[in-house]
Amino acid sequence: MLKQIISPLLFLAFAWFIVSNENAKTIIAGIAIFLIGMHYMESGFKLFSGGALENVLQKFTSTTPKAIGTGFLATAVVQSSSLVSVIIISFLSAELMGLTSAVGVVFGSNIGTTTTAWLVSSLGLKIKIAQYALPMLIFGVIMQFSKHNSYKGFGSVLIGLGFIFLGISYMKEGFETLKEGLNLAEYAMEGYLGIFVYIVFGAVATVVIQSSSATMAIIITALATGQIDYINALSLAIGANIGTTVTAVLGALASNRNGKRLAVAHFIFNIITGVIAIVFIYQLKDLVDIIAPLLSIAETDFAMKLALFHTIFNVIGVLAVSPFIKYMVRFLETLFCVKELGRGKPKYLTDEVMEIPASALEAIRKETIHLYDKSLEAIVHAMNLHRKEIFSDKEVHDVVEQSNSLFKIDVDEVYQKDIKNLYSEILHYSSRSQSYMDEDGNNRVYELKLTARNIIEMVKDVRELQRNLNHFTKSNNWFMIHEYNKLRKELVTIFREIQVMRNKDFVDSTEIMTKIGVLKEKGSDNEVGISKNIDMLIRDNKIDSKMASSLINDVGFTYSISKKLLKTASVLWVKDQEIIELGDEYEY
Amino acid sequence: MSIKKLLSRLDDFFDQSKKKQRKKSDKLEKIILQLEEKKAELKKEMKSEAKLNKKSKAVYDLCKEYKVITKMIKKAKKHENLLVKEDS
């Protein structure tokens, strides 16, 4: 109730403040335009890079220094640490990246965000930036009409840069005019009290604006126009760094456990860095004075000195915290642990992953493997076999001949409780994620959906097979027992081969595809062999016509499962799409 | 340079599909080479095994592998030709 009254009142007061104060209006409009620019840059890079950013972040993060470097470069180029964070969280969720690498990228990304300060203090203040903003906006909008996504993306990047430049120009103009009537520098505070007060200002401003880059842009423009004192500006920059952790933590509240873990890492990093910067602020200021001339920064160019200070204290933070990454990761792994998954619940399909095609594809693939494992359990048990035995070193013959007792498994019940819901979740999630993917991605999702359907059909096939298998295993007809054991051996061989394929990451795709092809060829030969044998058993009156019809149907179910297993293996474990397509030749 | 030409060049630059096709074609070429090598090795192995026993399981397995690889090469070449045609 109170919130319902206070919010509109605050909004009205803010509106009145803006309307009645011309300078504040210009500055706040500048901030708003700057934020729109950041938003366009982020969405533009998503479209423009066409997955390149994701590829870079995935491939060049194997060691901590590489992860830090990649995090720095990626953030510096796209000018958005939140975009990099979103990708990293999605990679973590899809298990495309480990937590150590992700923490490294977050650290690097923190240094990357300091490039905004360089952009504003160099380009933004030294040249008449608004002159470049307008052509950028014009060409950016023209490019939006293109049918190519990369064109559109590039257009959005141009619009983003245009708005950022325009926003800086407005802020600068606002502060310059403000100076004529009100000089904020008169309120400068000295000593540690001033430092603390301005740190709080910087942090609060960042929490309100939800962007440390925007806060930095305000600080730099205010500093360049002489509205704030240099040492107070340094404190504001430290405050902005601390404030951004609140933004990250708030954002992570709605995120999954990986997002929360990264937010904690970010929080720890920024607090430690903040403390170092506060304690050594005067020493850091002196260090900036030493380094600045080496970079041809004039003694009175406080805006660029502030940018340098921002970079230095973040680099020091990374140097101080990096040696402890592994301890930090160990601690993070104890946080937000998942409770036991409910039956039929997906493991990998999270919303954080959906918008990043590479992660979404991997999540769907892994969930389909999860579905395969659940279904395999049902299939194996329905055939009165144990997975432990199948995947042991025992001969296939022994595994089958020694497993004669009937398993009490209701395939229908397992299907309803463990499999059906998982399958539905995969289909639902896949369809939603397809809207974020290009043609290749869509084709891959389609293939994975077909694979999930194949897996479901295998379970249905085995349900049919189980009835007769159980009936004839307990019969007195040795020939029927023998024939059904042949069918079981056929499947055990394939289960085993697939297990070997999926465990051997080093085996190249052509080798796996050749293996699958050979198994299909042999399966085809064996099917003919078994059918001929059935004809012989009928002719020799070893089995009656009812037995024969059951057996013939079950040969059909067995080889249907076998083909689907091999097709499933090729889609789930052969890495190259080109090779999967070559294997399609062997569809019966 | 005319605007039309400029636009088509820009289109080429931004159009990822042609780059992807070329990449795919290069990949197929490598796969074909790899498979051809494997096929030659298999042929030798088959000959030496057949000398010992033409109807052995080893010969049967090698024959199957040879057949699969031959089919894969055929299909890879077909795919590559299609890509070259689309590119030109």
Side-chain angles (χ1 to χ4, degrees), chain A residues 94-263:
Chain A
E95 292 179 3
L96 280 169
M97 185 186 272
L99 194 54
T100 312
S101 303
V103 171
V105 174
V106 167
F107 288 0
S109 181
N110 255 54
I111 305 177
T113 51
T114 66
T115 53
T116 312
W118 287 99
L119 190 77
V120 177
S121 60
S122 54
L123 281 177
L125 299 175
K126 298 241 159 38
I127 49 176
K128 285 195 172 174
I129 207 164
Q131 283 180 354
Y132 298 96
L134 299 180
M136 280 180 182
L137 290 172
I138 294 167
F139 284 105
V141 170
I142 291 172
M143 285 177 131
Q144 294 288 302
F145 295 109
S146 166
K147 56 184 179 186
H148 294 305
N149 273 347
S150 25
Y151 243 145
K152 276 186 190 169
F154 191 67
S156 290
V157 171
L158 278 183
I159 293 174
L161 268 178
F163 275 136
I164 286 174
F165 287 179
L166 206 61
I168 295 169
S169 158
Y170 268 103
M171 280 190 256
K172 202 170 128 189
E173 193 189 312
F175 277 119
E176 268 164 4
T177 345
L178 182 72
K179 204 179 171 183
E180 288 160 16
L182 169 74
N183 191 0
L184 292 174
E186 285 171 10
Y187 301 95
M189 293 169 87
E190 287 181 2
Y192 265 98
L193 176 71
I195 291 169
F196 281 113
V197 169
Y198 276 89
I199 283 173
V200 173
F201 271 152
V204 171
T206 307
V207 173
V208 172
I209 304 171
Q210 296 272 303
S211 164
S212 62
S213 299
T215 314
M216 280 307 291
I218 301 167
I219 300 167
I220 290 169
T221 42
L223 178 68
T225 50
Q227 282 283 359
I228 46 170
D229 190 19
Y230 177 51
I231 193 80
N232 291 152
L234 300 186
S235 314
L236 283 168
I238 299 169
N241 244 49
I242 295 171
T244 197
T245 59
V246 180
T247 316
V249 169
L250 288 177
L253 287 179
S255 180
N256 62 4
R257 68 188 169 122
N258 295 309
K260 285 176 183 150
R261 281 172 176 171
L262 274 192

Side-chain angles (χ1 to χ4, degrees), chain A residues 385 389-403 485-497:
Chain A
L385 294 161
E389 299 272 294
I390 293 176
F391 305 134
S392 67
D393 294 333
K394 265 187 180 178
E395 287 291 321
V396 173
H397 175 85
D398 296 339
V399 172
V400 172
E401 297 292 335
Q402 288 165 11
S403 307
N485 277 351
K486 268 193 203 165
L487 298 183
R488 292 205 295 164
K489 279 176 203 164
E490 192 69 30
L491 290 181
V492 169
T493 308
I494 291 176
F495 292 145
R496 199 172 260 191
E497 292 286 355

Side-chain angles (χ1 to χ4, degrees), chain A residues 48 148 150-151 438 440 508 510 513-514 517-518 521-522 525 576 578-579 581-582 584-586, chain B residues 7 10-11 14-15 20 24 27-28 31 34 60-61 64-65 67-69 71-72 75-76 79:
Chain A
F48 177 59
H148 294 305
S150 25
Y151 243 145
D438 61 6
D440 287 347
D508 76 286
T510 41
M513 208 61 236
T514 311
V518 170
E521 288 283 340
K522 283 185 179 176
D525 284 358
D576 296 315
E578 288 78 15
I579 295 174
E581 284 165 16
L582 298 185
D584 287 343
E585 179 82 13
Y586 300 99
Chain B
L7 279 176
L10 269 173
D11 249 354
F14 284 107
D15 189 3
K20 271 186 193 169
K24 204 171 174 178
K27 211 169 176 183
L28 277 171
I31 292 169
Q34 199 185 341
Y60 170 76
D61 286 347
K64 287 290 166 203
E65 203 174 337
K67 192 178 167 187
V68 168
I69 287 179
K71 278 186 182 177
M72 280 167 77
K75 188 149 189 186
H79 282 195

Side-chain angles (χ1 to χ4, degrees), chain A residues 259-533:
Chain A
K260 285 176 183 150
R261 281 172 176 171
L262 274 192
V264 173
H266 197 195
F267 181 79
I268 295 172
F269 172 79
N270 278 21
I271 295 298
I272 292 175
T273 310
V275 169
I276 294 173
I278 293 166
V279 172
F280 299 105
I281 188 164
Y282 291 107
Q283 287 82 353
L284 286 170
K285 184 176 160 263
D286 292 343
L287 184 65
V288 169
D289 288 338
I290 295 167
I291 298 175
L294 304 175
L295 299 172
S296 309
I297 297 171
E299 205 183 331
T300 50
D301 193 348
F302 293 113
M304 286 198 80
K305 277 182 159 182
L306 174 63
L308 182 58
F309 171 81
H310 195 214
T311 306
I312 287 176
F313 90 74
N314 271 290
V315 170
I316 289 176
V318 170
L319 292 175
V321 183
S322 296
F324 306 102
I325 280 189
K326 74 175 177 194
Y327 302 106
M328 191 191 262
V329 166
R330 227 178 277 166
F331 163 69
L332 292 172
E333 275 168 351
T334 62
L335 304 175
F336 316 110
C337 291
V338 264
K339 289 169 227 152
E340 193 72 16
L341 272 181
R343 289 182 81 172
K345 295 279 177 213
K347 265 189 193 171
Y348 304 96
L349 307 180
T350 57
D351 284 345
E352 283 77 8
V353 168
M354 192 179 291
E355 287 182 33
I356 311 294
S359 312
L361 281 173
E362 189 58 9
I364 299 169
R365 187 183 82 92
K366 289 213 163 108
E367 205 59 64
T368 314
I369 293 175
H370 182 206
L371 177 75
Y372 169 82
D373 286 333
K374 286 276 168 205
S375 305
L376 185 73
E377 190 181 340
I379 294 169
V380 164
H381 289 170
M383 300 189 68
N384 304 321
L385 294 161
H386 278 295
R387 277 173 300 169
K388 210 175 152 188
E389 299 272 294
I390 293 176
F391 305 134
S392 67
D393 294 333
K394 265 187 180 178
E395 287 291 321
V396 173
H397 175 85
D398 296 339
V399 172
V400 172
E401 297 292 335
Q402 288 165 11
S403 307
N404 293 319
S405 49
L406 303 187
F407 279 44
K408 282 182 186 165
I409 175 177
D410 184 344
V411 178
D412 268 328
E413 194 191 326
V414 175
Y415 173 74
Q416 291 296 339
K417 286 187 178 165
D418 291 338
I419 298 168
K420 193 180 172 185
N421 188 52
L422 198 52
Y423 175 54
S424 314
E425 293 275 356
I426 291 173
L427 290 187
H428 181 63
Y429 187 89
S430 303
S431 304
R432 281 167 66 211
S433 69
Q434 276 177 299
S435 55
Y436 299 101
M437 290 179 191
D438 61 6
E439 201 188 338
D440 287 347
N442 269 297
N443 289 340
R444 176 74 178 147
V445 172
Y446 179 67
E447 205 169 43
L448 287 165
K449 280 204 263 188
L450 280 183
T451 304
R453 195 184 74 188
N454 259 350
I455 295 170
I456 294 300
E457 283 173 2
M458 282 194 273
V459 177
K460 290 182 176 170
D461 285 343
V462 88
R463 188 178 54 187
E464 302 299 321
L465 185 60
Q466 187 195 25
R467 233 173 282 148
N468 291 333
L469 177 72
N470 285 353
H471 176 71
F472 291 111
T473 303
K474 290 293 156 199
S475 74
N476 298 323
N477 191 317
W478 184 87
F479 296 101
M480 285 302 277
I481 296 171
H482 183 67
E483 289 307 305
Y484 273 97
N485 277 351
K486 268 193 203 165
L487 298 183
R488 292 205 295 164
K489 279 176 203 164
E490 192 69 30
L491 290 181
V492 169
T493 308
I494 291 176
F495 292 145
R496 199 172 260 191
E497 292 286 355
I498 289 177
Q499 196 68 10
V500 173
M501 282 176 212
R502 69 185 277 193
N503 287 340
K504 277 188 184 171
D505 276 343
F506 54 89
V507 174
D508 76 286
S509 295
T510 41
E511 203 173 313
I512 296 183
M513 208 61 236
T514 311
K515 188 93 193 150
I516 290 172
V518 170
L519 286 169
K520 281 179 180 174
E521 288 283 340
K522 283 185 179 176
S524 186
D525 284 358
N526 292 348
E527 190 176 4
V528 174
I530 289 182
S531 301
K532 281 183 182 168
N533 206 38

